[in-house]
Amino acid sequence: MGSPPHILIAGGGIGGLTAAIALARHGARVSLFERASEFGEIGAGLQLSPNAMAVLYAFGLGDEIKAAAFEPEAGILRDYLTGKPLLTTKMRGAYEARYGHGYYNIHRADLHDILVKAARDSGVALHLDHDAQGYAQRSDFISLQTSQGEYSGDALVGADGIKSAIRAKMLGHSEPRYTGFCAWRGTVATNALPEGTLPKAANNWLGPDKHFVAYYLRGGELVNFVAIHKREAWSDEYWTQDADMTELRAAYQDWDAPVCDILNACKQSYLWGLSDHPALPNWTDGRAALLGDAAHPMLPFMAQGAAMAIEDAWVLASKVLSRDAPMAFRLRAYQAARYQRATMVQDISRNNAKLYHAHDAIGLAKRAVMLKTASLFPAAAHSKFDPVFGVDVTKSHPICQV
Ligand SMILES: Cc1cc2nc3c(=O)[nH]c(=O)nc-3n(C[C@H](O)[C@H](O)[C@H](O)COP(=O)(O)OP(=O)(O)OC[C@H]3O[C@@H](n4cnc5c(N)ncnc54)[C@H](O)[C@@H]3O)c2cc1C
């Protein structure tokens, strides 16, 4: 038996860290390169669906994540002016019974901390302040060029996000396209809100060309919100601190009272320009492969970008550690196993954008019929989520220990 493969990973976000854990826990040697000078995530929430939880449970991190998170009782779509529920989908208990795992809302920083610790404990070599800049293929290894020098390994994973340098090297430079929508996110201490402002649900108010999501984090201590609406002007794809709260409050000033209460209590929000990217022709090149947002950035209207990165990570490890073919073939097998699913979820996310932001008479009528039908036939409504939430890649793609 040869020595275990050495895998280089560019990017220490949720995708890069989960890939590092999946590979290292099954015997690979892993070196991860993150360009930031410390690990961290922005101060906002993340929804973790059952398909993502399946992988996190397989790492043995499920209970820790559950303890740090909040499990909503239901998902409620609401009218933006009156708050009247348009569709209520039971989540707590129901998702676990249907999919084997629940649906959790977690602070990004809490999840990131758990993943960094798990990567460290699994023996991953973590390198901060290393900006990945490109790679070169050799006959029996690949080298990664970073701001601090060159590193070689058996394979390279580009998990460096929507503006991936590894993708630019692989496929040429292609800028993600600004969709005309921006997302504002922030958190508010629950005790800063009038008592009973928010039911213990994932609440989603739908208005013309806008929607507003609010849910609890950290066992109910914090309320997280995401407000998405049209905004012509945009100059960058990165989070900016100090987003203008006056602009944000004005955009939702006539909305249902809890929306206004949350925005009035919020002191600081982050702003993100939502970009889209057509499906890439290819995610691999010899010994290099892309993963997560670097491979398939998606709009947040299905809350699946991180979940898809987590699934990618597991499947990539299962193929890389299969040992039955040259590395380039194993990476192509990873792409073959993931491409259709990730593209399907990108499409669902785009379609949800139209549903959530319906504004003309036809769009509103279609949505009303769809929501009414779903209310009358809840089992059928639930089953619509099965293709996304009902997949457990840890069962379909077991990983061999090397
Ligand atoms: C408003 C909004 C809400 C969302 N809500 C959800 C949700 O509820 N649930 C969900 O599943 N998904 C959600 N997503 C999507 C999710 O945030 C992303 O899909 C996910 O973070 C992608 O993870 P990643 O690791 O692929 O990329 P990233 O999180 O972007 O991580 C990339 C990492 O690589 C580093 N990096 C970048 N360039 C380099 C380089 N050259 N060299 C080295 N390191 C580099 C970065 O610093 C970063 O640490 C949401 C997205 C948005 C915009």
Side-chain angles (χ1 to χ4, degrees), residues 82-336:
T82 63
K84 186 178 157 236
L86 305 170
L87 177 67
T88 301
T89 310
K90 193 167 169 0
M91 292 172 102
R92 196 185 172 105
Y95 276 21
E96 194 152 350
R98 193 174 185 95
Y99 304 119
H101 299 287
Y103 194 107
Y104 299 92
N105 299 328
I106 190 163
H107 197 292
R108 281 173 178 257
D110 297 345
L111 175 64
H112 210 260
D113 285 352
I114 292 170
L115 295 177
V116 170
K117 182 174 178 303
R120 230 176 235 131
D121 292 349
S122 313
V124 175
L126 299 170
H127 302 271
L128 290 166
D129 270 324
H130 280 65
D131 188 16
Q133 295 168 340
Y135 61 85
Q137 307 268 2
R138 313 283 181 217
S139 57
D140 53 358
F141 67 94
I142 186 166
S143 62
L144 168 68
Q145 291 123 18
T146 78
S147 51
Q148 305 233 28
E150 209 163 290
Y151 297 82
S152 51
D154 296 291
L156 166 67
V157 179
D160 49 346
I162 190 166
K163 286 192 145 191
S164 168
I166 302 303
R167 184 182 68 223
K169 166 72 186 169
M170 189 181 285
L171 299 168
H173 198 65
S174 65
E175 275 296 313
R177 188 181 52 85
Y178 176 52
T179 56
F181 286 99
C182 65
W184 307 68
R185 294 204 285 189
T187 56
V188 174
T190 304
N191 62 15
L193 294 169
E195 184 126 2
T197 296
L198 201 66
K200 292 178 176 162
N203 302 273
N204 189 345
W205 287 261
L206 306 181
D209 274 334
K210 287 181 194 160
H211 78 284
F212 187 96
V213 179
Y215 51 75
Y216 288 101
L217 302 174
R218 291 189 179 151
E221 250 174 60
L222 284 181
V223 169
N224 178 77
F225 72 84
V226 187
I228 298 189
H229 60 257
K230 279 203 160 153
R231 192 171 192 261
E232 292 300 315
W234 192 258
S235 58
D236 196 356
E237 276 129 31
Y238 284 93
W239 292 100
T240 52
Q241 301 278 329
D242 301 326
D244 181 354
M245 285 306 301
T246 316
E247 180 187 338
L248 177 55
R249 288 184 192 121
Y252 294 84
Q253 63 185 350
D254 54 349
W255 282 44
D256 191 23
V259 173
C260 299
D261 288 342
I262 292 167
L263 293 181
N264 287 333
C266 178
K267 302 270 183 300
Q268 189 188 33
S269 150
Y270 302 83
L271 182 58
W272 177 267
L274 296 182
S275 297
D276 201 3
H277 202 291
L280 299 178
N282 197 21
W283 302 352
T284 74
D285 166 28
R287 289 172 178 269
L290 303 173
L291 170 154
D293 275 10
H296 44 68
M298 57 186 72
L299 295 172
F301 294 86
M302 186 65 198
Q304 279 295 306
M308 287 300 115
I310 290 169
E311 286 189 6
D312 285 351
W314 181 276
V315 177
L316 180 119
S318 84
K319 299 299 177 191
V320 162
L321 301 181
S322 65
R323 283 178 166 254
D324 58 355
M327 188 55 80
F329 281 61
R330 298 185 214 175
L331 294 179
R332 263 186 261 155
Y334 149 72
Q335 173 178 325

